[in-house]
Amino acid sequence: MTRRVVVVGAGVAGLTVAHDLARRGLEVTVLEAGPAVGGCVAPVAVTGLPADVALDGGAESFATRTTAVADLIADVGLAEDVVLPRRLGSWVQHARRADLLPSAGLLGIPVDPWAEDVRRSIGLLGAARASLDRYLPASVGTSDDVTVAELVQARMGRRVLRRLVGPVVTGVHSSPPVALDADTAMPGVRVGVRETGSLAAAVARVRERAPAGAAAAGLRGGLHRLPTALQEAVSARGGTVLTGTAVQTIEHDGTWRVQADGATASADDVVLAVPGPVAAALLAPWARVEPPPTVPVSIVTLVLAVRDLDRAPRGTGVLVSPDSPVVAKGLTHSTAKWAWLEHAADGRHVVRLSYGRGGGMPATSLETALSDAAALLGTPLPRDRVLGWARTDWPQGLGAPPAGHRGRVAALRESLPEGLWVTGAWVAGTGLAAVVADARSTARGVERRAG
């Protein structure tokens, strides 16, 4: 008999599991409570652009520290559309000035503390302190359950942490480095320090795996094309993807039974690929789960007709230090970052601002976004130069996984009954690279159990 699998959640994690299992001949049904697939990888419609241009309303790039996402993209036939961002550099906005971020690093951690662009940010004293990293014992700052802040400060000092790592980590993870588990945010780096003897060398080793020295890549036409392609691939192999279908309970009596909107789906395996709070409720009969906190995030997209932006005054974007009065935690100058979008926008500029540093849903207006964008870009942005704008809210954005998170996830998975699986950002960590790798590992586990 064909093995039956129900996947709960049609974000990238759930669709990746479904894709891999359907490709191996398993009978797959995906149940998604929302109206569309993709989760946080979703399009947004904004006026002021040609009708055929769709922008990303959530994630718009993926880390290239591994080939996980690129391999998946190739599997669904989009390999030729992978694009690298322009190498214009990005900036960090402090309270009184903006600095160009170092060109070689990971989450703000520099490969060479004495590089000119690093010294501009941390000064000679900061560079001298950071260079001690290479002479410290490999055990310093690399104990189990260490946070990003503890690792960076122990190895490279407070200036690197405060002026470089803090703004980048907060912008990427919506949480400060003091609250973020190092192994989850930077897989392999802590172990890399022990193996190479320094944090700088461990970061350099991670960067060597990236194509053309780039830390991230995207898709021509928008990253939202990936979940659409995954859904089509699942359907083409006989799988079923149902949206608008919320799962209420999961039961087990020799066979797994998933209750969804009054109907019951039976399965040999059930994969939960949903946000942490949803997973915790569904897992309650078998485990007490405390997922990482959620941090609501809003993305405001502006379409502007401002000629002064032609010169890309802040490269591809700006990350914001917590000591800055700017409300946004980051800005991406999308038409400067992506050549395909600059061509499609036909002289107009697309700017994305990200809001959410913890607490409730950010109260973000067009006026706030314009004020922040003008401050971060160092360019006046009159209201009458706005051709269109949109705000996309993500109420269940992932907060900082606390120290020891990976160990707790491993223990949770070990404790679950056979045939019940968990995947997704709340267990894998922030970013598509981590999510896709974990989802494909989960699919391999299901396949092995199927024999």
Side-chain angles (χ1 to χ4, degrees):
M1 295 179 62
T2 302
R3 197 84 176 177
R4 299 166 300 171
V5 181
V6 170
V7 179
V8 184
V12 170
L15 290 172
T16 298
V17 171
H19 167 270
D20 285 5
L21 295 180
R23 188 169 60 168
R24 290 168 174 82
L26 280 71
E27 181 181 318
V28 181
T29 300
V30 184
L31 306 178
E32 167 59 43
V37 303
C40 68
V41 184
V44 61
V46 187
T47 58
L49 291 172
D52 60 343
V53 178
L55 303 176
D56 287 312
E60 48 104 43
S61 63
F62 58 90
T64 56
R65 61 175 179 264
T66 71
T67 63
V69 181
D71 290 344
L72 179 64
I73 287 172
D75 285 346
V76 294
L78 297 178
E80 292 186 359
D81 289 333
V82 172
V83 290
L84 298 179
R86 286 194 174 111
R87 302 181 72 173
L88 300 177
S90 55
W91 294 64
V92 58
Q93 179 69 51
H94 296 288
R96 296 183 178 86
R97 69 178 194 184
D99 290 324
L100 187 65
L101 278 170
S103 58
L106 174 70
L107 287 181
I109 302 171
V111 169
D112 178 9
W114 291 105
E116 183 179 352
D117 53 3
V118 178
R119 284 188 286 113
R120 275 200 303 265
S121 294
I122 64 176
L124 291 175
L125 289 177
R129 169 60 185 90
S131 66
L132 293 179
D133 163 55
R134 298 185 181 274
Y135 305 100
L136 293 172
S139 60
V140 172
T142 59
S143 60
D144 294 341
D145 301 344
V146 69
T147 67
V148 172
E150 290 168 339
L151 174 60
V152 172
Q153 182 162 325
R155 303 297 311 185
M156 290 190 169
R158 282 193 293 178
R159 290 196 180 192
V160 169
L161 175 62
R162 199 171 61 245
R163 298 186 184 181
L164 297 176
V165 177
V168 177
V169 166
T170 302
V172 171
H173 293 280
S174 300
S175 299
V178 71
L180 192 61
D181 178 55
D183 285 344
T184 304
M186 306 179 297
V189 170
R190 180 181 65 87
V191 173
V193 176
R194 291 192 169 188
E195 293 174 350
T196 64
S198 81
L199 179 57
V203 168
R205 188 167 70 175
V206 170
R207 285 185 57 85
E208 286 173 0
R209 303 169 184 159
L219 269 181
R220 185 179 292 106
L223 197 58
H224 58 268
R225 295 178 60 204
L226 174 58
T228 300
L230 284 168
Q231 179 184 16
E232 292 172 351
V234 170
S235 299
R237 293 185 172 94
T240 301
V241 180
L242 301 175
T243 57
T245 307
V247 171
Q248 283 80 44
T249 60
I250 299 172
E251 300 171 353
H252 188 247
D253 58 0
T255 297
W256 290 101
R257 302 189 185 280
V258 180
Q259 304 287 338
D261 290 345
T264 301
S266 298
D268 300 293
D269 294 84
V270 175
V271 180
L272 299 184
V274 290
V278 180
L282 294 174
L283 290 171
W286 301 280
R288 184 175 181 271
V289 179
E290 294 185 9
T294 57
V295 178
V297 172
S298 291
I299 303 294
V300 176
T301 304
L302 307 174
V303 178
L304 305 168
V306 179
R307 295 298 300 273
D308 285 347
L309 296 181
D310 292 352
R311 57 188 176 86
R314 289 293 183 267
T316 58
V318 190
L319 291 165
V320 181
S321 175
D323 62 6
S324 170
V326 172
V327 180
K329 65 188 182 74
L331 174 148
T332 301
H333 188 169
S334 300
T335 39
K337 184 174 183 177
W338 304 111
W340 72 265
L341 182 55
E342 181 188 37
H343 176 76
D346 193 24
R348 288 150 284 196
H349 288 270
V350 177
V351 172
R352 284 168 37 116
L353 295 107
S354 177
Y355 292 87
R357 299 176 184 268
M361 180 61 68
T364 308
S365 64
L366 173 59
E367 288 68 27
T368 299
L370 267 180
S371 175
D372 285 351
L376 294 174
L377 293 167
T379 303
L381 302 176
R383 175 65 179 82
D384 62 3
R385 298 285 85 194
V386 178
L387 303 179
W389 77 288
R391 168 178 162 167
T392 311
D393 292 334
W394 302 103
Q396 292 190 325
L398 184 65
H405 177 69
R406 290 172 74 87
R408 286 188 291 274
V409 168
L412 168 65
R413 284 172 158 160
E414 187 67 27
S415 72
L416 293 178
E418 195 171 2
L420 184 59
W421 311 80
V422 291
T423 189
W426 74 275
V427 293
T430 303
L432 284 181
V435 167
V436 168
D438 188 83
R440 303 203 97 166
S441 175
T442 300
R444 289 192 294 271
V446 175
E447 185 186 14
R448 283 193 298 269
R449 199 176 99 81

